[in-house]
Amino acid sequence: MPTAPGHSAKMEGVIRILLADDEAMIRAGVRAILQSDPELDVVAEAGDGRQAVDLAISHRPDVALLDIRMPRLDGLAAAAELRRAAPGTAVVMLTTFGEDDYIAKALDVGAAGFLLKSGDPRELIAGIHAVADGAAYLSPKVAQRVISRFADGRMARGAAARDRIGALTEREREVLALLGAGMSNAEIARELHIVEGTVKAYVSAILTRLDVRNRVQAAIIAYEAGLVA
């Protein structure tokens, strides 16, 4: 189904979503959850990764919610293409698989969020809002895996992380610390008493200086460097 029935142009303040999953019943269930929030609008649906990329380019949604395992083009490959073809669209991976290799690959291709289909529906809505607001979002179970994985070798990587953040200005380190604490751009702006556009510029500079692809990877460096507990 190329587009979701009953949805059209973006309404003011509404987050526009592309939903991609090869199972129609899963799409219907996820769509029902998303439609329970009046600030979320499913503007297009795709049954495979290739169609998801094409629809994202034509609809320019705020968020693309992608299943990892899909025909023609899987969610990871679709996310990588979207990062190049539709950089304004934040990608959230939605899957039944929670293995570490999927998590690592999703973060590596620039996904801003990773949610499990077995999670609480409230996590899905919260995750969409978070990434649309410029933050990163991992479901609690996924976050536990990531923290556990990186905590195991934190001491060995701490010195390297501190060297990496040494290239940042004092203000950029402040922004990185708040980013690592899970704050959105709007929350960082309020905390530092600056405008949100300035925060976006700082975040962009931080990602470039640290040579990372997304906020999650930057947050991990902040964690390893000791900027956040």
Side-chain angles (χ1 to χ4, degrees):
M1 174 161 46
T3 58
H7 295 277
S8 55
K10 180 180 180 180
M11 294 175 286
E12 186 66 27
V14 172
I15 299 169
R16 305 172 73 252
I17 303 166
L18 163 69
L19 171 60
D21 195 296
D22 60 325
E23 297 185 44
M25 289 187 66
I26 295 294
R27 289 202 308 273
V30 172
R31 187 192 328 120
I33 293 172
L34 297 176
Q35 288 177 332
S36 69
D37 186 328
E39 295 183 350
L40 304 181
D41 183 20
V42 179
V43 297
E45 294 182 23
D48 60 66
R50 174 52 57 197
Q51 186 183 29
V53 172
D54 293 341
L55 288 174
I57 292 173
S58 61
H59 286 266
R60 298 292 174 174
D62 301 301
V63 177
L65 188 60
L66 308 178
D67 183 29
I68 282 189
R69 291 192 175 183
M70 292 187 290
R72 296 182 68 197
L73 194 69
D74 66 29
L76 295 172
E81 284 203 23
L82 286 179
R83 185 169 178 268
R84 296 187 297 269
T89 297
V91 173
V92 175
M93 308 306 302
L94 181 63
T95 181
T96 55
F97 305 94
E99 291 82 2
D100 290 349
D101 59 337
Y102 282 111
I103 299 170
K105 289 176 182 177
L107 299 181
D108 190 53
V109 297
F114 195 106
L115 298 165
L116 301 180
K117 292 179 180 177
S118 58
D120 189 313
R122 290 172 294 184
E123 293 176 14
L124 175 60
I125 293 175
I128 294 293
H129 277 280
V131 298
D133 194 32
Y137 190 93
L138 302 178
S139 73
K141 290 182 179 178
V142 173
Q144 289 172 2
R145 287 177 178 269
V146 172
I147 291 172
S148 176
R149 177 178 179 179
F150 284 93
D152 289 342
R154 180 177 180 178
M155 290 185 64
R157 292 188 299 272
R162 286 190 291 273
D163 284 343
R164 293 179 74 174
I165 69 170
L168 304 180
T169 66
E170 182 178 352
R171 179 61 106 180
E172 287 170 346
R173 285 195 293 272
E174 286 184 287
V175 173
L176 177 60
L178 297 175
L179 183 157
M183 288 189 179
S184 67
N185 288 344
E187 290 169 332
I188 294 173
R190 288 193 294 269
E191 179 71 19
L192 298 180
H193 305 292
I194 57 179
V195 298
E196 190 171 346
T198 301
V199 174
K200 291 180 180 179
Y202 276 126
V203 171
S204 178
I206 289 168
L207 298 185
T208 299
R209 290 178 187 273
L210 296 181
D211 192 26
V212 295
R213 294 184 176 182
N214 55 53
R215 297 171 72 102
V216 177
Q217 292 174 335
I220 289 169
I221 292 175
Y223 170 76
E224 291 176 344
L227 293 182
V228 290

